[in-house]
Each structure stands twice: as structure tokens, then as C-alpha cells.
């Protein structure tokens, strides 16, 4: 049974699944080399917690979510699309396309290794190609992200955020006190220290 036959009758989703059936599953598909026509948006959304929805209902098949996550691409205009060799379709992403659901760390200082597992089982080690970034949320809270691939980021869950911030330390940089995380070869600034 093909992926297209396992899906709901949505024609756009069926076409995507059919196009993916012929792609070898070793490694990630080379979406950066595909330049198919844009065929509009489909009713697919990735919620801020990493849950994928199609036609308003959660996609309950993890293998299908993983497959679709492998063909995500951020376009130069910031739009996120699912892309195959034959078509590209836009989807809605509430925050980041991935969620960092698990974290492990070993070592100290800049030599510390910090690794994350995403909700679609990508393993990401913080380094020069997989940076951490911190943004202030609309509620004034901290929103930490780790770069996964292709200008696509994972939002850390509350639990992984607490684990990461437990590694934090204050450092004086150019006369200013900063709170940050050392690891992956650098010091990742989170925010100015209180009272600085």
C-alpha cells in the first residue's frame, strides 16, 4: 500500500504522498535542489508544540509526520513549504517547525556538548552550524530555539528549556554582565544579568 493510499482523500496531500513514494529514504531529500512550481497552500498546520494538523485534525501517524518533516523548506520570503520534485505547497507554522523534546549535556565550558532530540527524531548537537538563539515571547517569557537544518529551527519545550537554563552562568563581556550558556565552542548569550 502506498502512502497516497493510506491518506485521506485530500488531493494535494495524496499528490505529495505519491511524489514521496519514489524517493529513497536514506538521509534527507535534497529539497534545496528541487525547484517545482508552487501550487498554493494546503490545510496543514504545525502547532507551536510541534503537533501537525491536516484539515483541523492532528496527524496521528508519527512515520507520516517524519516523512513530511523531511521535505520542509523555508523559502527566501520566509514562507515554509513542503516540497517534492514535482510540486511545492505552503503550510502554516505557528512558531517553529520542530520542537526540541529532549536534551543531553556533557562536559564544561565551551567544550561542553549539548544535544537535542526533536519531536521528529532529528538529533542536533549545538555547534557552529546548529546555534542556539533566544527571543522574548509576547508574554515577556523566554523562547529558546536550536537550529536544526535549512534555516529551520526547533522551539525548546518547557522541560528542555529548564534543563538548558540550569547550565547557565554569568560572564562579564566588554564590561557588561550577561547570563548565557557555554557549549558547542562558544558562549550563547541569553540575556543581560539582573541589575547589570
Amino acid at each position: 500500500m502506498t502512502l497516497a493510499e493510506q491518506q485521506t482523500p485530500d488531493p494535494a496531500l495524496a499528490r505529495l504522498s505519491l511524489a514521496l513514494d519514489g524517493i529513497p529514504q536514506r538521509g534527507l531529500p535534497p529539497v534545496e535542489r528541487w525547484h517545482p512550481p508552487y501550487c498554493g497552500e494546503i490545510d496543514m498546520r504545525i502547532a507551536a508544540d510541534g503537533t501537525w494538523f491536516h484539515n483541523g485534525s492532528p496527524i496521528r501517524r508519527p512515520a507520516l509526520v517524519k516523512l513530511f518533516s523531511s521535505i520542509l523548506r523555508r523559502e527566501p520570503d520566509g514562507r515554509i513549504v513542503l516540497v517534492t520534485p514535482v510540486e511545492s505547497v505552503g503550510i502554516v507554522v505557528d512558531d517553529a517547525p520542530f520542537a526540541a523534546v529532549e536534551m543531553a549535556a556533557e562536559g564544561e565550558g565551551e567544550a561542553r556538548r549539548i544535544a537535542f532530540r526533536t519531536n521528529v527524531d532529528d538529533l542536533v548537537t549545538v555547534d557552529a552550524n546548529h546555534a542556539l538563539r533566544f527571543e522574548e515571547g509576547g508574554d515577556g517569557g523566554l523562547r529558546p530555539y536550536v537550529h536544526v537544518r535549512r534555516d529551520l529551527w526547533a522551539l525548546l519545550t518547557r522541560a528542555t528549556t529548564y534543563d538548558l537554563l540550569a547550565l547557565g552562568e554569568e560572564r562579564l563581556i566588554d564590561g557588561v554582565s550577561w547570563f548565557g550558556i557555554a557549549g558547542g565552542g562558544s558562549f550563547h548569550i541569553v540575556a543581560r544579568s539582573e541589575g547589570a
Side-chain angles (χ1 to χ4, degrees), residues 1-18:
M1 178 182 291
T2 69
L3 284 174
E5 294 168 337
Q6 298 170 13
Q7 296 311 304
T8 60
D10 181 303
L13 196 59
R15 283 192 317 272
L16 276 173
S17 296
L18 190 59

Side-chain angles (χ1 to χ4, degrees), residues 169-179 191-196:
E169 61 186 82
E170 289 188 26
R171 288 197 182 174
L172 201 59
I173 301 172
D174 297 328
V176 178
S177 182
W178 294 93
F179 178 77
R192 271 183 96 149
S193 296
E194 293 283 324

Side-chain angles (χ1 to χ4, degrees), residues 28 32 46 50 52 66 69-74 80 95-102 114-133 144-157:
L28 291 169
E32 63 281 350
I46 305 173
W52 286 60
K66 287 180 189 180
S69 74
S70 73
I71 59 165
L72 284 173
R73 181 170 75 193
R74 181 180 300 275
I80 295 185
D95 192 321
F98 305 111
V101 297
E102 198 172 359
I114 303 171
F116 295 95
R117 183 180 65 80
T118 71
N119 59 316
V120 292
D121 291 332
D122 285 306
L123 299 177
V124 180
T125 301
V126 174
D127 59 20
N129 295 318
H130 301 95
L132 292 171
R133 93 172 195 255
Y145 300 85
V146 62
H147 180 250
V148 178
R149 63 176 180 267
R150 304 176 185 140
D151 199 24
L152 300 172
W153 295 76
L155 174 65
L156 275 63
T157 62

Side-chain angles (χ1 to χ4, degrees), residues 57 88 165 191 194:
S57 298
S88 167
L165 293 178
E194 293 283 324

